[in-house]
Amino acid sequence: VTYWLVGGCAWVFSMVVIGGMTRLTRSGLSMTDWKFQYEHPPLTLEDWEREFDKYKQSPEYQKTNIGMTLEEYKFIYWMEYGHRMWGRVLGIYFAAPLAYFSYKGYMTSKLMKRLGVFFVLGATQGMIGWWMVKSGLKQTEEQKFEVPRVSPYRLAAHLAGAFTIYTGMVWTTLNVMNPVSPAQLPTAAESLISATKKLRKAAHPLAGLIGLTAISGAYVAGMDAGRAYNTFPLMNGKIVPDEYLKDWESKGWRNFFENTAAVQFNHRVLALTTLVSVSAVHAMFRGNSALSSQSKFYINALMGITVAQVGLGITALLYHVPVELGSAHQANALLLFTVILNLMHSARKPKKLVFVKDLWAHKPA
């Protein structure tokens, strides 16, 4: 059961990374329809021409890809098709073993229900993905002069859904692997319990900040804001760009989500705030000998990966977000979130419990 859950977490992780690559290669709008069940790819020249003709009716082709050849279209089609199929195969990977383990009694009813919820959320995520794509296949009168792209709000919702599923999967997997944290052991010293309590108070808001920064990155992606203001630390020679409130009078609060300058500036501020906050937590707890070895490891890992994430973000910005750097930045964001989840899990508060070796599964997993 444990290995299967770890595999599921890795699969969801890869789904997020592939989704980012699909967006960065501008492949997400290549398929102009969607089916909940299996979608058969075009195999003959006639099939390909039919799909290409449908794509030619889209705003993306007519405004940015006019003159694209069939061979060029095949590349973006396979990117989007691969992303969709990878998600469907994940559903099979998840559902089949879940049914088997449930039948064999390897899991408690509590765990089965939780995993069932994740399965439903995964299916819903596919529908949210299509809802997002649809927003880029048509343009309103207000958008007629803009480069076709999906709604940044729907993109953020899609990413938030992926993070929600991944968070639940990782936390559940950690519960199966480590039912009891060091501070919850009957033999835990008071110094360990006290130090863990302080760490927990710092880790929870830090996780919220990291998550918020990641979601703000979805708006950067949705607005293609990473391909503007490609200097650091200044934007057009200023800390706060003149265009920050450009759309305030016409759009109000939407300015902060639909204005390229505002979206990128906000992401920069959140990223640097995250770096400062992680550095402060690292300085506070790295030398605390009372903490468990698990917590110490994740504190140090959090610091290293945060520095790497900021470095990747700046480098991607300076080079106008090439696919390789953009994908690495998104993958590292999820890795950073994984580490903060592990840190929080290692700092769970003590509670009354009966210590058993296998809290979640009836049989060895």
Side-chain angles (χ1 to χ4, degrees), residues 220 225-226 228-229 235 259-269 317:
V220 174
Y229 304 99
M235 298 174 68
N259 174 1
T260 297
V263 165
Q264 193 191 119
F265 179 79
N266 293 343
H267 188 59
R268 290 187 183 208
V269 170
L317 177 71

Side-chain angles (χ1 to χ4, degrees), residues 113-335:
K113 290 177 181 178
R114 177 176 291 196
L115 295 177
V117 170
F118 295 155
F119 180 78
V120 173
L121 289 176
T124 303
Q125 183 72 349
M127 291 183 277
I128 293 174
W130 172 241
W131 176 62
M132 175 190 72
V133 169
K134 279 182 66 177
S135 67
L137 296 176
K138 293 182 180 179
Q139 287 190 299
T140 64
E141 188 67 21
E142 182 183 353
Q143 300 169 320
K144 64 181 181 180
F145 298 113
E146 298 178 2
V147 175
R149 56 171 67 98
V150 300
S151 162
Y153 300 104
R154 298 188 188 189
L155 177 59
H158 192 46
L159 182 64
F163 265 67
T164 299
I165 294 170
Y166 183 73
T167 299
M169 283 288 297
V170 169
W171 195 266
T172 300
T173 302
L174 291 172
N175 280 342
V176 173
M177 294 174 66
N178 301 297
V180 181
S181 70
Q184 291 176 327
L185 291 170
T187 56
E190 280 300 321
S191 58
L192 170 60
I193 295 173
S194 176
T196 301
K197 181 179 180 180
K198 293 177 182 178
L199 176 60
R200 185 171 59 257
K201 288 183 178 180
H204 280 73
L206 195 56
L209 178 59
I210 292 171
L212 180 62
T213 305
I215 297 303
S216 78
Y219 288 95
V220 174
M223 294 296 298
D224 262 345
R227 292 185 168 92
Y229 304 99
N230 300 105
T231 57
F232 189 86
L234 302 181
M235 298 174 68
N236 272 0
K238 297 185 176 181
I239 295 177
V240 181
D242 293 334
E243 303 83 358
Y244 184 74
L245 292 175
K246 177 174 67 70
D247 297 329
W248 175 256
E249 289 188 7
S250 60
K251 296 183 177 181
W253 62 268
R254 289 165 53 202
N255 172 81
F256 301 113
F257 301 96
E258 299 177 21
N259 174 1
T260 297
V263 165
Q264 193 191 119
F265 179 79
N266 293 343
H267 188 59
R268 290 187 183 208
V269 170
L270 285 169
L272 293 177
T273 302
T274 298
L275 177 61
V276 171
S277 300
V278 169
S279 299
V281 171
H282 182 259
M284 287 172 58
F285 292 100
R286 65 177 179 175
N288 193 326
S289 58
L291 286 172
S292 68
S293 58
Q294 284 182 32
S295 296
K296 291 178 184 176
F297 173 81
Y298 291 121
I299 289 170
N300 290 325
L302 188 70
M303 185 73 254
I305 295 172
T306 301
V307 171
Q309 180 67 353
V310 173
L312 279 170
I314 294 172
T315 305
L317 177 71
L318 296 178
Y319 284 91
H320 296 254
V321 197
V323 174
E324 298 82 5
L325 286 174
S327 299
H329 187 51
Q330 181 162 323
N332 201 65
L334 197 53
L335 181 61

